[in-house]
Amino acid sequence: MIRGNSMQFGNFKSILLLVLFSISGFSQNLEDQIYNAIDVFVANPNPTTLNELKQKELLFSKSTITNDEKLALVILYCNKGSYEMKNNLQQQAITSYESAWLLFSNNHLSNYDIIEFCLKPLGTLYTKTGNFALAENIIKKYIFIAEKEDNQATIISGYINLSIVYKTIGNYKTALELLQKVAQNKQASPIQKKRIQEELTQNTIGLQNNTIVNEVLKNETVANDFQSLKNHALVALHNNKPNVALTYFGKAKTLFLKDKNIEARVLAKLYTEEASIYIHLNDLQKAKISFTKALTTLLPFEKISVHLNKSTLYPENTFLTIFDGLAHIEKDNNQKLEWYELSFFVNDLISDQLVSQEAEIRHQIENRKRTEKCINILWNAYQEKKEFRFLEQAFQYAEKTKSFVLKERIYQKNILEQFPNHPLLQLQNQLLSKQESLINEYIRLQITQENQDRLITLNSELANLSIQLKNINKKINNTFKNKTKTTSLPNLQDKLNRDKAQMVYYFWTKENTYFFYLNNEKITWKRISFDLEKEAVLSKFIHSFEKANTINANISAFTTIANNLYSILELEQVEQQKNLVFIPDGLLHFVPFDALVTQKSNATTYTTIPFLIYQNKIAYQTNAAFYVKETTAKKNNTIVGFFPVFKNTNAYLAYSIAESKALEKNKAVLFMNEAANRENFKKYSNQYAIIHLSTHGTSGSFNTPATLVFYDDVMLVNELYGLQDYHPDLVVLSACETGIGKLQKGEGAISIARAFQYAGAKNILFSLWKINDFATSEIMTHFYSNYSKNTSFFESNYLSKIDYLEDQNISNAKKSPYYWSAFVYYGAIDTSKTNYIYYALGFLLLIILFLSYGRIARFLKRKKI
């Protein structure tokens, strides 16, 4: 046990204790009490002595004062964690190791091998339980420490463990790069060299490069070696030779089972790998037996069935493999769904441990794939029985995975608004903001390649903050148990009725796109199969907006494509002259729906082409939950505008000045030129109801985040995520590509627009492509002109485009949808002030008519007499 490590400096401790005894009898007594408690536990580790140790630990943790006492407590935590880890008490082990690390690092303790006895097992546990972001942080942390100490053995093992994290999340390329780098280290031990070779093989298999795989395997001897045999089994399976794979795997399994001290999780994983081979052999019965063995290994005291007691489950990736596997081989659709429900449950347990957006988004990808399978099952059942319950269940599945991470953050903000003085909620909000600030600094330093020492410090700060945030989240989840709920169809239909609206809701999958249409308390469910021809139509339509002259070069070709896509997307059933809400998904996030053409047309004059905007007023939403949520009354009509303009540069926005004049007429506060800087935006923007940014934006790339450009600097999305007390009624992003970003399955585009939603913006108006400066200025001028009359964001967005199209001073070429359809409005169908005026005037007119009628009647009566 780890107590052995403390004995390495036992003589030093004894001498120190003698010295301390003469200084402070109490201090010596407490330190000795802690070490004695460790000794008792190490001598006889079992559940009973563990509980006794926990009780003592609570008392010790409240009494430690000196660093020696704290170090003793660190060693206690590590011993406890080691036992818990070996006995499959993973969450308890994580808590123990986290407590050890925080106590050790926060108090700058030393004289203990914290890497070997705390950070290494903690990194392993994070990997096992799916908390890959924390695993990466902790492993990088101990690599940094090892590099400082020139501890080559730990550096090598750290890179191997880090490669395992990347391999587990499917980032085989990065894992290979790390392994190839560390393979050149001549100080690697024979065991480490062997491990590096094994991991190289597995990652190469993951990349599915047969040539390289076969070359790698030439360097491996197929001997009585478990990992070598297993690697050959994986390659054979990859080459579609399941019988050969089974032979290799059988030999590997025999060797493996000779070990009497096998960890339950490792054995369960072995059974799932065996099940995978049987599935390839189409021997589903044996696959089921192997999956059942895996489950029994993890839950030895449970009766195995789809009706498992969920309280016995815990955050563990192997459960997901088992339940998904059992669902895959199950023939009964109801039981398939029940197995998947168990996967969803465990997935949520894992999700509760995650604290960074990146980790949560990555984690939800598999959940989204699982959802697609469930919806496909329900679609088939619906086609067979036409029962509404299948449609309703499918919609709930779809809605649950729509922008899951964004919904979670909005939920956190809503709870804080309800309980603004709750200390845990306040602390959570502060930590989340600080986390995004640190991540923002980390990314900026990575891009600039400056101050590598600060990068190391940031990694350490992020690791400690993440642990603290995880513990806070756990307490909050226990206090506020009502997690985010999916939106019921009756509530959704009621909201649509009040808004005099209809909804088109898409759910994009790898093979099909599902279409839900809600109108007049009815709901239609269809499936759109995107074959190569339909994919080509969608692709051509989206690419039509990449350059200003593409549509003008062949108007007829565009209208044909736009009309074809209108039909493909099942929009012919949409009711005309009625508000229309779109919930897009997948590539449909990049479709400007109001530029679709509702009928075949040979017209080349844009104002005579039957665009959807002439038929319906359109709003968008990220998911149904955001649409149903009742928006609070607008704060006020205060507007702030940021106009860097970038005069005398290549980035000059000439028409931005004209755009600012439109805001000026609405008494907006304007930050022009140098004043439109990053710090002024952060300092003043949250004081206004409407925030307008007329600048440049970038959609980012795979390696770099989306950015917003100010006069003096750029702002990354992560900095926007961290904005506090940020609840504007509307954010207008009059900038290029603010709605474009890396498309994440289920979450949508990780764009500037999404960042403002995440920060707390209630409604948002943004662009889908690089927009023309002149057209933007004109549309924004019309937007604010209309807003000054009706104070409706929804109406003003619609009218701004109509006014632009009807402007006689604008040429036909500039009325191409490239110029006017870039802006999309994600938000509420807010009631226009104008409507209330009309209602009041109408009511007043009725009163006047009624009174007039009485007078006229009396007059006529007198005349008759």
Side-chain angles (χ1 to χ4, degrees):
M1 298 293 281
I2 299 170
R3 178 70 173 111
N5 181 73
S6 68
M7 295 302 289
Q8 289 174 9
F9 57 94
N11 292 334
F12 169 78
K13 183 172 78 70
S14 299
I15 295 168
L16 185 64
L17 286 174
L18 286 172
V19 174
L20 289 174
F21 182 79
S22 62
I23 300 171
S24 172
F26 174 77
S27 180
Q28 176 206 13
N29 189 34
L30 179 59
E31 185 184 352
D32 266 356
Q33 283 182 51
I34 296 172
Y35 281 120
N36 287 338
I38 297 171
D39 287 337
V40 170
F41 176 68
V42 170
N44 185 24
N46 59 58
T48 302
T49 55
L50 177 66
N51 284 331
E52 291 171 357
L53 186 66
K54 285 180 180 177
Q55 291 171 12
K56 292 175 183 177
E57 171 209 320
L58 287 173
L59 294 173
F60 296 151
S61 64
K62 295 174 183 177
S63 307
T64 53
I65 298 172
T66 70
N67 279 354
D68 290 323
E69 292 166 355
K70 290 172 183 176
L71 182 61
L73 189 56
V74 166
I75 296 170
L76 183 151
Y77 286 136
C78 290
N79 276 280
K80 185 161 73 77
S82 176
Y83 173 84
E84 290 162 336
M85 185 175 179
K86 288 177 181 176
N87 288 273
N88 211 31
L89 303 170
Q90 293 179 0
Q91 290 307 308
Q92 293 95 313
I94 287 172
T95 300
S96 295
Y97 285 126
E98 286 176 344
S99 299
W101 168 242
L102 289 176
L103 188 59
F104 189 89
S105 61
N106 290 342
N107 291 280
H108 308 290
L109 303 179
S110 58
N111 295 326
Y112 185 69
D113 193 348
I114 197 68
I115 294 177
E116 192 64 33
F117 296 109
C118 177
L119 297 184
K120 278 187 179 179
L122 182 56
T124 301
L125 283 165
Y126 284 146
T127 304
K128 288 178 178 180
T129 56
N131 202 334
F132 302 116
L134 268 174
E136 183 182 13
N137 277 347
I138 286 294
I139 295 169
K140 283 181 177 178
K141 175 61 187 175
Y142 70 70
I143 289 174
F144 293 147
I145 296 173
E147 285 176 340
K148 220 171 185 179
E149 299 171 351
D150 195 27
N151 185 337
Q152 292 300 317
T154 299
I155 292 169
I156 294 165
S157 64
Y159 278 117
I160 293 170
N161 290 337
L162 192 56
S163 77
I164 291 170
V165 173
Y166 294 135
K167 177 187 71 175
T168 308
I169 63 177
N171 192 351
Y172 303 111
K173 186 179 177 183
T174 303
L176 281 169
E177 288 171 357
L178 281 177
L179 291 164
Q180 287 161 356
K181 176 184 176 182
V182 78
Q184 296 172 18
N185 192 321
K186 294 178 181 179
Q187 295 188 43
S189 68
I191 292 174
Q192 287 177 327
K193 287 177 181 177
K194 185 172 180 294
R195 188 70 189 280
I196 291 167
Q197 191 60 44
E198 290 168 354
E199 289 300 322
L200 278 168
T201 303
Q202 289 182 42
N203 280 283
T204 309
I205 293 168
L207 279 177
Q208 300 187 349
N209 189 321
N210 291 342
T211 305
I212 301 175
V213 168
N214 293 328
E215 189 64 34
V216 169
L217 287 182
K218 283 181 184 178
N219 299 322
E220 286 193 16
T221 54
V222 189
N224 276 341
D225 179 277
F226 167 72
Q227 195 61 56
S228 177
L229 287 164
K230 199 173 90 161
N231 282 347
H232 278 78
L234 290 172
V235 172
L237 196 63
H238 175 68
N239 291 331
N240 201 27
K241 296 177 181 177
N243 284 308
V244 176
L246 189 62
T247 302
Y248 279 126
F249 193 86
K251 292 177 182 178
K253 181 182 172 185
T254 301
L255 284 173
F256 185 79
L257 293 176
K258 287 181 180 178
D259 187 350
K260 301 299 180 185
N261 297 309
I262 305 170
E263 188 184 336
R265 180 185 182 274
V266 177
L267 180 58
K269 204 166 179 62
L270 183 79
Y271 285 131
T272 64
E273 290 166 341
E274 182 180 56
S276 177
I277 297 173
Y278 283 129
I279 288 173
H280 279 81
L281 287 165
N282 204 30
D283 193 337
L284 302 186
Q285 187 56 39
K286 286 186 178 177
K288 186 174 183 178
I289 291 169
S290 294
F291 279 130
T292 304
K293 283 181 180 178
L295 195 51
T296 303
T297 303
L298 295 175
L299 299 172
F301 306 111
E302 288 299 308
K303 184 179 178 182
I304 305 304
S305 76
V306 291
H307 304 297
L308 269 174
N309 180 1
K310 289 182 179 179
S311 65
T312 63
L313 299 174
Y314 49 89
E316 166 59 62
N317 280 317
T318 312
F319 279 131
L320 299 178
T321 307
I322 295 167
F323 296 143
D324 287 348
L326 288 168
H328 176 75
I329 63 179
E330 180 59 61
K331 293 180 180 178
D332 182 83
N333 282 338
N334 288 327
Q335 292 206 1
K336 264 184 186 288
L337 291 172
E338 289 188 48
W339 284 122
Y340 280 130
E341 278 298 322
L342 290 172
S343 277
F344 285 128
F345 181 81
V346 174
N347 186 84
D348 287 345
L349 293 178
I350 295 172
S351 183
D352 286 342
Q353 309 298 312
L354 307 178
V355 294
S356 74
Q357 269 203 83
E358 183 185 355
E360 289 186 78
I361 289 170
R362 186 167 54 214
H363 179 66
Q364 289 303 319
I365 290 172
E366 290 304 315
N367 216 33
R368 172 70 178 219
K369 292 177 183 176
R370 197 173 291 120
T371 299
E372 291 173 9
K373 292 173 184 176
C374 291
I375 290 177
N376 191 53
I377 292 168
L378 291 164
W379 170 261
N380 292 330
Y382 183 70
Q383 294 309 297
E384 182 183 344
K385 298 182 180 179
K386 297 296 180 187
E387 293 181 15
F388 180 76
R389 63 188 177 97
F390 296 123
L391 182 158
E392 188 171 31
Q393 194 175 355
F395 183 84
Q396 296 296 353
Y397 273 126
E399 177 64 11
K400 186 175 181 183
T401 54
K402 282 263 193 174
S403 311
F404 179 87
V405 177
L406 183 59
K407 270 192 288 194
E408 283 288 297
R409 183 59 183 136
I410 299 303
Y411 170 75
Q412 289 169 346
K413 286 180 176 286
N414 290 342
I415 293 293
L416 181 59
E417 284 181 14
Q418 292 175 46
F419 305 95
N421 298 318
H422 197 287
L424 283 177
L425 294 174
Q426 289 177 337
L427 180 57
Q428 180 194 51
N429 195 49
Q430 290 165 9
L431 289 175
L432 284 168
S433 181
K434 185 178 179 182
Q435 181 187 48
E436 294 298 350
S437 177
L438 291 174
I439 291 171
N440 176 67
E441 186 182 354
Y442 192 91
I443 293 171
R444 289 175 78 100
L445 286 175
Q446 280 186 319
I447 293 170
T448 60
Q449 291 295 302
E450 296 174 353
N451 200 343
Q452 293 301 301
D453 289 339
R454 177 58 182 156
L455 273 175
I456 294 170
T457 306
L458 279 171
N459 185 80
S460 181
E461 288 180 26
L462 278 168
N464 290 2
L465 185 145
S466 296
I467 292 170
Q468 189 181 359
L469 189 53
K470 185 165 73 72
N471 294 331
I472 292 293
N473 288 347
K474 185 178 179 181
K475 292 176 183 177
I476 289 173
N477 288 340
N478 291 335
T479 306
F480 301 95
K481 292 184 179 179
N482 295 323
K483 299 289 282 181
T484 310
K485 294 181 179 179
T486 49
T487 303
S488 71
L489 285 174
N491 286 346
L492 179 55
Q493 288 166 328
D494 180 58
K495 181 71 162 63
L496 287 168
N497 287 340
R498 281 183 278 130
D499 284 344
K500 296 181 175 57
Q502 56 197 318
M503 176 178 283
V504 172
Y505 186 111
Y506 292 105
F507 184 82
W508 183 278
T509 75
K510 185 178 179 180
E511 297 173 352
N512 305 291
T513 295
Y514 292 94
F515 164 93
F516 297 91
Y517 174 58
L518 296 89
N519 190 24
N520 298 325
E521 299 188 0
K522 293 180 181 178
I523 180 166
T524 305
W525 185 23
K526 293 187 177 183
R527 186 168 75 178
I528 305 167
S529 297
F530 269 91
D531 54 27
L532 292 176
E533 186 180 341
K534 290 177 181 175
E535 283 180 3
V537 171
L538 175 60
S539 178
K540 284 179 183 177
F541 181 80
I542 293 172
H543 289 304
S544 296
F545 299 93
E546 289 181 352
K547 295 179 181 178
N549 62 347
T550 303
I551 298 172
N552 281 327
N554 196 336
I555 298 174
S556 296
F558 173 78
T559 54
T560 300
I561 291 168
N563 179 243
N564 287 343
L565 186 58
Y566 177 81
S567 300
I568 289 169
L569 295 177
E570 297 285 351
L571 296 176
E572 289 162 332
Q573 61 191 294
V574 165
E575 185 178 337
Q576 297 183 23
Q577 308 308 317
K578 188 173 186 178
N579 295 334
L580 178 56
V581 181
F582 280 105
I583 312 285
D585 201 21
L587 289 176
L588 300 181
H589 279 292
F590 307 134
V591 170
F593 282 87
D594 47 10
L596 294 173
V597 176
T598 60
Q599 300 170 26
K600 289 182 180 179
S601 173
N602 295 319
T604 54
T605 302
Y606 287 112
T607 52
T608 60
I609 295 174
F611 291 116
L612 184 58
I613 193 170
Y614 287 129
Q615 179 181 293
N616 299 95
K617 296 175 185 177
I618 295 170
Y620 298 78
Q621 263 299 3
T622 310
N623 50 62
F626 285 4
Y627 171 72
V628 168
K629 185 182 178 236
E630 293 294 339
T631 54
T632 53
K634 293 173 186 171
K635 301 179 189 176
N636 47 55
N637 289 326
T638 57
I639 305 171
V640 63
F642 292 85
F643 296 81
V645 184
F646 307 109
K647 198 172 182 180
N648 301 321
T649 71
N650 293 333
Y652 182 42
L653 295 169
Y655 288 97
S656 186
I657 298 171
E659 190 177 325
S660 69
K661 300 297 182 185
L663 273 75
E664 207 167 20
K665 290 178 182 177
N666 283 268
K667 299 179 181 177
V669 174
L670 302 181
F671 289 83
M672 303 293 295
N673 302 308
E674 294 91 339
N677 59 57
R678 181 165 155 261
E679 284 308 310
N680 277 343
F681 172 78
K682 290 171 66 177
K683 186 176 180 180
Y684 297 109
S685 62
N686 66 347
Q687 300 174 18
Y688 298 87
I690 300 172
I691 301 166
H692 184 105
L693 292 123
S694 178
T695 182
H696 293 289
T698 67
S699 59
S701 65
F702 186 80
N703 295 315
T704 58
T707 61
L708 197 61
V709 185
F710 289 93
Y711 186 87
D712 61 333
D713 200 356
V714 297
M715 182 177 278
L716 308 185
V717 286
N718 298 85
E719 192 166 3
L720 289 169
Y721 295 148
L723 295 175
Q724 291 208 53
D725 302 318
Y726 206 79
H727 306 286
D729 292 325
L730 177 71
V731 173
V732 179
L733 296 172
S734 179
C736 301
E737 298 184 324
T738 44
I740 304 294
K742 183 182 175 185
L743 191 62
Q744 291 283 13
K745 199 175 186 69
E747 197 65 21
I750 309 302
S751 63
I752 291 291
R754 179 188 176 276
F756 275 102
Q757 286 182 300
Y758 190 91
K762 298 172 188 173
N763 305 285
I764 191 158
L765 183 64
F766 61 88
S767 64
L768 291 176
W769 56 82
K770 291 181 179 179
I771 41 181
N772 175 271
D773 194 13
F774 164 77
T776 300
S777 174
E778 288 294 309
I779 286 173
M780 286 301 148
T781 299
H782 288 306
F783 177 85
Y784 285 104
S785 174
N786 283 294
Y787 180 73
S788 66
K789 299 171 188 173
N790 60 42
T791 67
S792 164
F793 304 142
F794 171 67
E795 293 279 348
S796 299
N797 174 55
Y798 164 74
L799 291 171
S800 68
K801 296 177 181 181
I802 295 296
D803 289 348
Y804 179 90
L805 284 165
E806 292 179 353
D807 191 331
Q808 300 296 319
N809 296 318
I810 298 174
S811 67
N812 184 60
K814 287 285 176 71
K815 290 181 179 177
S816 158
Y818 169 84
Y819 294 97
W820 57 262
S821 67
F823 285 99
V824 290
Y825 169 70
Y826 274 66
I829 299 179
D830 47 346
T831 305
S832 168
K833 181 173 74 176
T834 307
N835 290 340
Y836 288 116
I837 293 171
Y838 287 155
Y839 296 151
L841 287 173
F843 183 70
L844 185 61
L845 184 61
L846 284 172
I847 293 173
I848 292 169
L849 286 172
F850 177 79
L851 293 174
S852 298
Y853 174 80
R855 289 172 183 168
I856 292 167
R858 287 194 297 273
F859 175 76
L860 291 173
K861 191 174 181 181
R862 284 198 301 269
K863 280 284 183 183
K864 189 176 180 181
I865 291 171

